[in-house]
Amino acid sequence: MNTGSDEPGEVAVMTDETETGEGRADDGLGSRAPEFVKQRRALHLSWQVGVFVLGLAVVVAGVIMLPLPGPGWVVIFGGMAIWATEFVWAQLVLRWTKRKVTEAAQKALDPKVRRRNITLTVIGLVIIGVLAGIYLWKFGFVAPWSIKDQ
């Protein structure tokens, strides 16, 4: 372990940062398994495999729901949350995702962006209405079950 010292035999000692009031940069990262599971290496490894398999099943179900009816993205993020209970990489991905979603929500609430979105929506609806009106004027309204063979 590199302690930043040239003294042989010196070891790094972790200080309790709750007393000094300083927060760690990686607060909340790491395994959230119960302590009795963490104390036994084989049990902790089995716990991690179980969490990974469960999270993988949920993520795969979410991916299947993307083209099919169902809340695909919600289920995928649920699987990521399951992984985040045990794996640091999943915790970091979830933090990044939450940050990006928050930024997008704040950007969407910006008055300029809202006005632009409303304007584009109204223009799109007007175009669709005009096209539907032209179609109905040219061909009229005929229900599909009333079409006669030609």
Side-chain angles (χ1 to χ4, degrees):
M1 176 184 297
N2 183 8
T3 62
S5 173
D6 294 332
E7 299 292 324
E10 186 174 330
V11 292
V13 178
M14 187 172 184
T15 60
D16 186 13
E17 293 162 346
T18 56
E19 294 175 5
T20 61
E22 298 174 11
R24 289 177 29 199
D26 60 345
D27 282 337
L29 295 179
S31 175
R32 294 190 181 104
E35 287 302 319
F36 74 91
V37 171
K38 289 181 189 177
Q39 291 172 353
R40 294 167 185 83
R41 176 79 176 131
L43 187 57
H44 192 223
L45 187 60
S46 300
W47 180 275
Q48 286 181 326
V49 168
V51 167
F52 182 79
V53 168
L54 179 64
L56 182 64
V58 173
V59 168
V60 167
V63 170
I64 290 171
M65 285 184 206
L66 287 176
L68 299 176
W73 284 110
V74 174
V75 174
I76 289 172
F77 289 126
M80 289 295 296
I82 291 171
W83 279 338
T85 63
E86 196 59 36
F87 302 108
V88 174
W89 61 267
Q91 293 168 359
L92 295 174
V93 168
L94 273 182
R95 282 186 182 180
W96 179 83
T97 304
K98 287 178 185 177
R99 188 173 60 247
K100 291 298 180 184
V101 167
T102 303
E103 290 173 5
Q106 289 175 349
K107 187 176 180 181
L109 294 176
D110 180 29
K112 289 181 181 180
V113 174
R114 288 188 62 166
R115 275 194 301 272
R116 183 198 66 204
N117 290 345
I118 290 172
T119 303
L120 290 175
T121 302
V122 168
I123 290 171
L125 289 174
V126 167
I127 290 171
I128 290 172
V130 167
L131 292 175
I134 291 171
Y135 178 84
L136 290 174
W137 172 69
K138 184 163 181 144
F139 299 107
F141 181 76
V142 179
W145 51 85
S146 301
I147 297 176
K148 297 187 178 166
D149 291 332
Q150 294 183 12

